[in-house]
Amino acid sequence: KKAKFKKVYLTIITATDEQEIVYITYRWNEEEEISVDATDTSKTIIKTTIPIKKGENTLTVIAVDSNNNETTEEKVFVAYTKPDIKVRQFGKKLQITVTDEIGIESIEYSLNGEEHAWNATTSKTEWEEIVNLEEGQTKVIVNATNVKDIVNEFKGICEYNP
């Protein structure tokens, strides 16, 4: 069995009032609002931690005090991930797969120093290449760049002995 981990980025929303804060609401972009009520422990502060959505998103927070006064704050969050690179060997064949949720701009890879390149001409979120391996060890380097110029690199060695 394998354990799989997912990287999640968080932000903390903190709303305060000198006398009494009743609740806050928050929403990403135009999605449904989520409400967080004040607790009995503190009537002057509400603090909550939420996951940041991938991509470019606007977080709107509205704080409401005991006099029904509202304060609204907006902040834009930009959270993009690196392209995902998978390299798998099937006997003499080497499969290189790159995926990216926002789009792949370019891929450069080398096999024992022999360089290859691919540049996007249309919007693609997945790219795959299958190459034949020479006998012995092959040093593999893959660099993938997405449309936001975020780069990921893979380095490894595979071995083919028929």
Side-chain angles (χ1 to χ4, degrees), residues 49-161:
T49 303
I50 63 169
I52 296 173
K53 294 174 68 85
K54 288 182 184 175
E56 210 167 302
N57 298 285
T58 301
L59 176 64
T60 304
V61 178
I62 301 171
V64 181
D65 70 11
S66 57
N67 294 321
N68 225 21
N69 295 318
E70 287 187 6
T71 301
T72 303
E73 295 283 334
E74 280 191 356
K75 183 174 180 180
V76 175
F77 286 82
V78 179
Y80 294 111
T81 58
K82 293 179 180 181
D84 185 44
I85 302 171
K86 287 189 173 60
V87 178
R88 300 188 305 183
Q89 181 179 348
F90 303 97
K92 185 181 174 139
K93 304 276 186 198
L94 186 71
Q95 179 186 42
I96 304 168
T97 306
V98 176
T99 56
D100 189 88
E101 60 195 21
I102 59 171
I104 303 164
E105 182 69 29
S106 64
I107 297 163
E108 297 168 347
Y109 68 95
S110 71
L111 305 171
N112 286 335
E114 184 182 317
E115 295 184 5
H116 306 270
W118 174 86
N119 290 300
T121 53
T122 60
S123 179
K124 283 185 99 164
T125 56
E126 185 169 332
W127 174 90
E128 182 177 282
E129 184 88 354
I130 297 174
V131 295
N132 288 318
L133 293 170
E134 299 292 324
E135 190 173 333
Q137 279 193 346
T138 302
K139 182 178 177 185
V140 181
I141 300 173
V142 181
N143 284 294
T145 306
N146 69 15
V147 294
K148 293 291 182 183
D149 286 328
I150 300 171
V151 179
N152 195 10
E153 181 177 66
F154 169 90
K155 288 184 177 180
I157 295 175
C158 59
E159 193 159 332
Y160 171 62
N161 293 311

Side-chain angles (χ1 to χ4, degrees), residues 6-75:
K6 184 178 180 184
K7 192 181 284 190
V8 177
Y9 296 96
L10 304 171
T11 190
I12 299 170
I13 299 171
T14 305
T16 59
D17 188 81
E18 294 160 358
Q19 297 184 349
E20 182 181 0
I21 189 160
V22 179
Y23 68 91
I24 64 167
T25 63
Y26 69 88
R27 75 171 183 272
W28 288 106
N29 306 315
E30 298 303 317
E31 294 178 3
E32 190 175 325
E33 286 185 341
I34 296 170
S35 183
V36 179
D37 294 327
T39 62
D40 291 335
T41 26
S42 177
K43 297 284 186 195
T44 60
I45 187 168
I46 295 176
K47 197 178 217 181
T48 187
T49 303
I50 63 169
I52 296 173
K53 294 174 68 85
K54 288 182 184 175
E56 210 167 302
N57 298 285
T58 301
L59 176 64
T60 304
V61 178
I62 301 171
V64 181
D65 70 11
S66 57
N67 294 321
N68 225 21
N69 295 318
E70 287 187 6
T71 301
T72 303
E73 295 283 334
E74 280 191 356
K75 183 174 180 180

